[in-house]
Amino acid sequence: MSDTATGVSSEQPGRDAMPTMGFLDHLEELRRRLVYSIAAVAAGFFACWWKVEWIYGIMQRPIMEVLRANGMAEKLVYLNPTEPFNLYLKIAAMAGVFVTSPFILYQVWMFISPGLYRNEKRYVVPFMVSTIALFVTGGYFGYKVVYPQALGFLVHFGRQFQPMITVSEYTSLFLSIILGMGLIFEMPILIFFLALMGIVSASFMFKNFRYAILLIFIVAAIVTPTPDILSMCIFAAPMVALYAVSIGIAWLVHPKQRQARKEKKAA
């Protein structure tokens, strides 16, 4: 006899029925979330435009300190009259995305949340807080540790030449380092969702720890802007630590572990 006939629900406790939406409803929801996000980024752009010179002053501080330490002229150059204006546009846009990222992440969550069970929706606050905190931590680590080390090595290595560093090349290198470190620090969030869906487990990650370290150092060697071992290790060290933390996260949220804890609690 089916559960429906006996009046007993076949759903697990605490997991309500999966909400259903049609294809057109999904498209409409996606359109609405995109419009909200674009409007927020536009507002953030105009807000940051008024402080764009101050923002760029913070961005160029590492190279100024390195040039000063090596007795070189503390000045960047540009090769095209439109370059500074286009650069400020780019910086204001990037800063606008960063400032409005909590709202954008909330829109992402609102888009995917209809496909989640009720007890899974409680992850919204930890998801947003941890995502932003990890990205900011990674960017700050890149700004204070990785980027100054890389610049110091590069400028000191070429100290016998007169540097002519353009603002666009410097900004591209800055953004690649800072954004790269911010994304690297998002590893626990990625593992969280993969483990939540049962794709990876803590035992699998622990068993392949040595291969993960090898892969981490390969990635660090690729993304490190300098060829020295120290910079590569500075990149790799937080990635290894984050991988170790991710093992614990995978153990906590994997479906088998959640079910085991539920059965132990029921007993």
Side-chain angles (χ1 to χ4, degrees):
M1 185 177 294
S2 66
D3 292 338
T4 304
T6 58
V8 179
S9 173
S10 59
E11 296 171 2
Q12 297 179 8
R15 293 172 72 89
D16 57 338
M18 179 77 76
T20 58
M21 292 179 65
F23 178 72
L24 294 180
D25 294 330
H26 278 294
L27 289 180
E28 176 61 25
E29 181 70 10
L30 177 61
R31 186 194 66 82
R32 181 162 58 250
R33 299 304 168 189
L34 285 175
V35 169
Y36 291 163
S37 299
I38 293 173
V41 171
F45 167 81
F46 287 110
C48 294
W49 177 256
W50 298 107
K51 289 291 184 178
V52 69
E53 293 186 11
W54 176 78
I55 295 172
Y56 191 74
I58 295 176
M59 291 175 59
Q60 72 173 359
R61 191 175 298 165
I63 188 62
M64 294 296 108
E65 293 176 353
V66 170
L67 291 175
R68 187 184 309 118
N70 286 272
M72 300 176 178
E74 302 171 32
K75 200 75 173 178
L76 303 183
V77 302
Y78 62 90
L79 305 177
N80 190 303
T82 63
E83 193 171 356
F85 180 76
N86 292 334
L87 176 68
Y88 282 164
L89 288 176
K90 181 179 180 180
I91 292 173
M94 295 294 296
V97 172
F98 181 79
V99 169
T100 58
S101 59
F103 182 81
I104 296 173
L105 287 173
Y106 179 73
Q107 297 305 312
V108 173
W109 183 267
M110 291 300 294
F111 177 70
I112 65 175
S113 61
L116 301 177
Y117 291 102
R118 180 181 301 168
N119 68 329
E120 293 172 341
K121 294 180 180 180
R122 69 178 184 269
Y123 293 119
V124 58
V125 174
F127 165 75
M128 293 183 61
V129 172
S130 58
T131 299
I132 297 171
L134 286 171
F135 186 84
V136 171
T137 302
Y140 185 78
F141 179 79
Y143 180 79
K144 283 294 186 179
V145 179
V146 176
Y147 198 46
Q149 289 286 340
L151 285 176
F153 174 85
L154 292 171
V155 173
H156 183 74
F157 186 78
R159 63 189 180 280
Q160 70 269 35
F161 306 108
Q162 176 62 42
M164 190 176 70
I165 306 171
T166 65
V167 290
S168 60
E169 291 173 346
Y170 172 79
T171 303
S172 296
L173 181 62
F174 177 90
L175 292 177
S176 64
I177 297 295
I178 302 305
L179 295 180
M181 290 303 302
L183 292 176
I184 285 173
F185 271 63
E186 297 293 338
M187 183 191 299
I189 302 298
L190 175 63
I191 298 299
F192 170 84
F193 281 104
L194 292 177
L196 188 67
M197 294 182 289
I199 297 176
V200 298
S201 63
S203 60
F204 173 82
M205 295 178 65
F206 185 78
K207 187 184 302 181
N208 294 278
F209 194 87
R210 67 181 71 178
Y211 302 109
I213 292 179
L214 176 61
L215 181 61
I216 284 172
F217 273 89
I218 291 174
V219 172
I222 294 173
V223 300
T224 304
T226 59
D228 61 300
I229 300 298
L230 177 60
S231 296
M232 184 179 70
C233 291
I234 291 175
F235 261 83
M239 296 171 67
V240 173
L242 289 169
Y243 186 86
V245 171
S246 299
I247 293 177
I249 293 174
W251 184 86
L252 287 172
V253 303
H254 194 274
K256 289 184 178 180
Q257 295 296 334
R258 298 203 311 270
Q259 183 64 27
R261 289 194 297 271
K262 187 183 297 184
E263 292 175 355
K264 184 177 180 180
K265 186 177 180 180

